C-alpha cells in the first residue's frame, strides 16, 4: 500500500475543535484555501450545539461544506465538557446521555457523515468499575443499534487516565467490542492518548486489526505536528505496513493554538504533507 495515496491526500481530514473562537464559516473558508477535502466536524457550541432544533443548522453546515469543496466524514459531538457520561450509573445522567447521543446521531445523519465518534465515559475512581463498564456497554449497544439503522459506523476512542478509567488500552477496546457485540461499533486510535499510555502503535493493529476504523494522527499534547515529540514517520510506516486505508483526522486541542487557529492548522497540514512526500 502507498501511504500517500491511501492515508494521505483524500484520506486526511481536519477537525474544527481549535476554531472555537472563530465562526464555523471561517473554518470552512480556511479548509478551501488549504485545499483540505475532508472535515471531521466537532459538533459543539459555538459551531453546532445539537439541541432539539438542529436540522436547519445542519442544512446550513452542509451548504458551507459543499461550497468549500469538503466532505464531512465524521460527526464528533462534544461529550467531555457537557453533562453527559455514557458510563453513568445514576439514572438521570444515563438517560440524559442516551437522549443526547440519539439526537446527535440524527444530526450526524443530517450532515451525511458516515462515522460518529464516542468516548467511553468514566466510573468513579473510588469504586469498582464493573457497574460503570456495564452501563457503558449498555449505552454503546443502544447507540450502535440506532446508528446501524441510519447507516452510520460508531467509533469508540480509548482515552488517557485523566479522561476515562474504562477504555484506555487495546485489550480494553477488544473487550468493549466483544461485550457490546454490535458489528458497526469500531475503534478510533488517537496517537497522543496512545503515547501517553505508553502503547506501541503496532499493538493496536495486532489485537484489533480491521476494527481500527479511524485514526486521530496527533502529536504529543495535541499540538501541531513539529511542535511535539512523537515520531510521525514511524506512525505513517505502521499505517502503511498494516495496509491501513481509511481516513485519519488531524486534531489540535492545545489551548494556546486556539488563538491563531489558521496558523496552527496551516503548520499542521504542511508538516503532514511534507512527511508524506518523504515517505
Amino acid at each position: 500500500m502507498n501511504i500517500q495515496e491511501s492515508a494521505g491526500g483524500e484520506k486526511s481530514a481536519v477537525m474544527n475543535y481549535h476554531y472555537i473562537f472563530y465562526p464555523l464559516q471561517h473554518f470552512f473558508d480556511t479548509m478551501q484555501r488549504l485545499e483540505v477535502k475532508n472535515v471531521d466536524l466537532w459538533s459543539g457550541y459555538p459551531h453546532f450545539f445539537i439541541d432539539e432544533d438542529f436540522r436547519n443548522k445542519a442544512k446550513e453546515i452542509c451548504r458551507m461544506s459543499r461550497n468549500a469543496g469538503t466532505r464531512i466524514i465524521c460527526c464528533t459531538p462534544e461529550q467531555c465538557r457537557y453533562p453527559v457520561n455514557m458510563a453513568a450509573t445514576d439514572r438521570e445522567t444515563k438517560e440524559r446521555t442516551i437522549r443526547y447521543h440519539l439526537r446527535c446521531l440524527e444530526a450526524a445523519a443530517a450532515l451525511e457523515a458516515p462515522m460518529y465518534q464516542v468516548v467511553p465515559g468514566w466510573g468513579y475512581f473510588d469504586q469498582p468499575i464493573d457497574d460503570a463498564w456495564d452501563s457503558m456497554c449498555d449505552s454503546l449497544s443502544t447507540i450502535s443499534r440506532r446508528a446501524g439503522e441510519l447507516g452510520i459506523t460508531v467509533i469508540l476512542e480509548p482515552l488517557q487516565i485523566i479522561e476515562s478509567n474504562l477504555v484506555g488500552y487495546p485489550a480494553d477496546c477488544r473487550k468493549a467490542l466483544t461485550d457490546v457485540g454490535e458489528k458497526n461499533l469500531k475503534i478510533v486510535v488517537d496517537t497522543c492518548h496512545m503515547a501517553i499510555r505508553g502503547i506501541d502503535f503496532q499493538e493496536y493493529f495486532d489485537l484489533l486489526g480491521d476494527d481500527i476504523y479511524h485514526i486521530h494522527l496527533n502529536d504529543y499534547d495535541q499540538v501541531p505536528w513539529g511542535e511535539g515529540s512523537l515520531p510521525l514517520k514511524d506512525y505513517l510506516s505502521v499505517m502503511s505496513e498494516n495496509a491501513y486505508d481509511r481516513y485519519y483526522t488531524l486534531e489540535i486541542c492545545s489551548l494556546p493554538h486556539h488563538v491563531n487557529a489558521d496558523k496552527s492548522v496551516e503548520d499542521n497540514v504542511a508538516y503532514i504533507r511534507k512527511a508524506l512526500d518523504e515517505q
Side-chain angles (χ1 to χ4, degrees):
M1 182 194 72
N2 185 316
I3 189 69
Q4 188 160 3
E5 293 176 355
S6 59
E10 296 298 322
K11 292 295 186 179
S12 62
V14 171
M15 186 180 283
N16 56 302
Y17 182 82
H18 74 293
Y19 274 82
I20 60 172
F21 296 139
Y22 295 82
L24 186 57
Q25 182 64 64
H26 181 103
F27 167 77
F28 277 111
D29 290 344
T30 303
M31 296 303 99
Q32 184 175 29
R33 176 168 58 81
L34 296 178
E35 299 182 341
V36 170
K37 299 302 181 184
N38 302 300
V39 167
D40 186 333
L41 190 74
W42 171 75
S43 302
Y45 177 82
H47 290 167
F48 187 24
F49 178 62
I50 303 176
D51 57 11
E52 289 78 3
D53 184 28
F54 65 83
R55 295 190 185 277
N56 287 334
K57 184 61 175 177
K59 290 179 181 178
E60 176 64 12
I61 292 172
C62 286
R63 183 195 64 77
M64 292 182 196
S65 181
R66 285 193 301 271
N67 289 346
T70 63
R71 180 192 182 201
I72 299 171
I73 56 97
C74 185
C75 176
T76 301
E78 177 55 53
Q79 53 202 288
C80 296
R81 301 186 184 278
Y82 288 178
V84 294
N85 175 10
M86 71 163 58
T89 53
D90 67 281
R91 181 176 177 180
E92 179 182 359
T93 304
K94 177 71 173 289
E95 290 181 350
R96 179 173 60 239
T97 301
I98 294 296
R99 287 196 304 270
Y100 175 72
H101 277 292
L102 294 181
R103 186 167 65 243
C104 290
L105 276 171
E106 298 295 331
L111 295 169
E112 302 179 357
M115 293 186 289
Y116 178 82
Q117 188 197 325
V118 297
V119 296
W122 48 272
Y124 288 116
F125 280 35
D126 64 345
Q127 297 177 12
I129 67 168
D130 291 354
D131 290 343
W133 180 271
D134 291 343
S135 179
M136 177 196 73
C137 289
D138 178 68
S139 297
L140 284 171
S141 180
T142 299
I143 293 164
S144 298
R145 286 198 302 270
R146 178 55 182 151
E149 294 170 354
L150 295 169
I152 295 172
T153 299
V154 178
I155 51 175
L156 173 67
E157 181 180 22
L159 300 176
Q160 304 172 40
I161 188 59
I162 59 172
E163 297 169 313
S164 177
N165 58 348
L166 298 176
V167 179
Y169 294 93
D172 301 331
C173 296
R174 173 51 61 203
K175 179 171 170 39
L177 294 180
T178 300
D179 288 358
V180 175
E182 297 292 338
K183 291 183 179 179
N184 68 318
L185 177 63
K186 302 295 183 181
I187 299 299
V188 49
V189 178
D190 186 307
T191 54
C192 173
H193 299 328
M194 176 188 77
I196 289 173
R197 290 276 194 177
I199 305 165
D200 184 84
F201 203 4
Q202 185 60 44
E203 290 181 44
Y204 272 106
F205 285 97
D206 289 343
L207 190 58
L208 296 167
D210 288 342
D211 285 323
I212 299 176
Y213 206 80
H214 193 53
I215 290 171
H216 287 174
L217 194 59
N218 294 331
D219 206 338
Y220 202 84
D221 285 340
Q222 295 170 315
V223 299
W225 279 103
E227 295 186 24
S229 57
L230 296 186
L232 174 59
K233 291 185 178 181
D234 290 350
Y235 293 165
L236 293 175
S237 294
V238 170
M239 292 162 65
S240 180
E241 290 162 5
N242 288 275
Y244 179 84
D245 61 356
R246 298 189 175 102
Y247 291 104
Y248 72 83
T249 289
L250 304 179
E251 184 183 24
I252 300 172
C253 297
S254 166
L255 292 177
H257 294 88
H258 290 28
V259 179
N260 192 341
D262 281 351
K263 184 178 186 305
S264 297
V265 78
E266 287 165 5
D267 291 348
N268 211 22
V269 169
Y271 197 94
I272 287 283
R273 287 173 174 168
K274 183 175 185 294
L276 288 168
D277 286 341
E278 295 173 352
Q279 190 74 13

